[in-house]
Amino acid sequence: MNLNDAQKKSVVEWIAQGMKLSEIQRRINSEFGIVMTYIEVRFLVDDLKLTPKDPEPPKPVAVAGGQSPGDSTIGGPANMKGEPEKGMSEANQGVPPGGGVSVKVATVARPGALVSGSVTFSDGNSAEWHLDQTGRLGLSPKLPGYKPSPADLEAFQIELQEELQKLGF
């Protein structure tokens, strides 16, 4: 779908403001009445020779309290809205640049899980995660007793949702 020059200028401004492609997709629909898929928005931004800005990483928060080793459930059913989802790149291994939370989705889910993978938190600690068929999210830290900060957990859940959306979950 082609946009006129004024609409393209708006997209350029939105990219300059730091909007993500999914936000631009929603705005094109709401402001221009044009329905575009996520990939179409991606191609549009590429055609305009624009590069979306990386979001500022969350500030590290001190880890408080302990947790018993093994799996723990983080909240109830996962929030899957059916919005266009993004995939996880293989480059997100180890401590993430800028100290944020990095989520990786495994190509093969662990037994009993709908989907699984790994996460590296802002303090460098990592864990394995899984989402079961009932929508429960489980987290198994590699360091026994490790408990990520509430800010890291929130960032993890947001990043996980975005990664799963990329893959069509």
Side-chain angles (χ1 to χ4, degrees):
M1 182 132 328
N2 291 327
L3 301 178
N4 63 35
D5 290 337
Q7 292 169 331
K8 288 179 183 178
K9 185 176 179 183
S10 295
V11 172
V12 170
E13 291 172 8
W14 296 336
I15 289 288
Q17 293 171 5
M19 288 183 139
K20 295 192 284 185
L21 294 178
S22 59
E23 295 169 326
I24 292 171
Q25 177 187 15
R26 282 190 288 275
R27 249 172 114 183
I28 289 172
N29 186 9
S30 67
E31 292 188 18
F32 305 146
I34 299 173
V35 178
M36 295 180 82
T37 64
Y38 182 85
I39 194 72
E40 289 173 325
V41 174
R42 226 174 121 186
F43 287 146
L44 170 68
V45 169
D46 187 51
D47 289 345
L48 295 173
K49 306 216 182 320
L50 301 172
T51 304
K53 294 181 181 178
D54 289 331
E56 267 191 48
K59 305 245 189 272
V61 178
V63 177
Q67 177 179 334
S68 60
D71 286 352
S72 65
T73 299
I74 304 173
N79 182 11
M80 300 296 159
K81 297 179 183 177
E83 298 172 353
E85 311 270 337
K86 302 184 274 181
M88 178 64 186
S89 70
E90 295 293 324
N92 290 339
Q93 296 182 23
V95 179
V101 174
S102 171
V103 176
K104 181 177 179 190
V105 178
T107 54
V108 177
R110 73 186 233 183
L114 183 63
V115 64
S116 62
S118 61
V119 57
T120 302
F121 295 103
S122 63
D123 59 4
N125 284 304
S126 60
E128 298 294 319
W129 62 266
H130 69 275
L131 186 65
D132 68 14
Q133 287 81 2
T134 62
R136 290 184 307 175
L137 180 60
L139 190 64
S140 301
K142 291 189 179 182
L143 178 64
Y146 172 72
K147 182 177 179 184
S149 69
D152 272 3
L153 284 177
E154 184 178 345
F156 161 62
Q157 289 176 329
I158 291 168
E159 183 73 20
L160 177 61
Q161 183 176 350
E162 290 176 359
E163 294 303 323
L164 292 177
Q165 285 176 344
K166 288 179 190 175
L167 298 173
F169 284 94

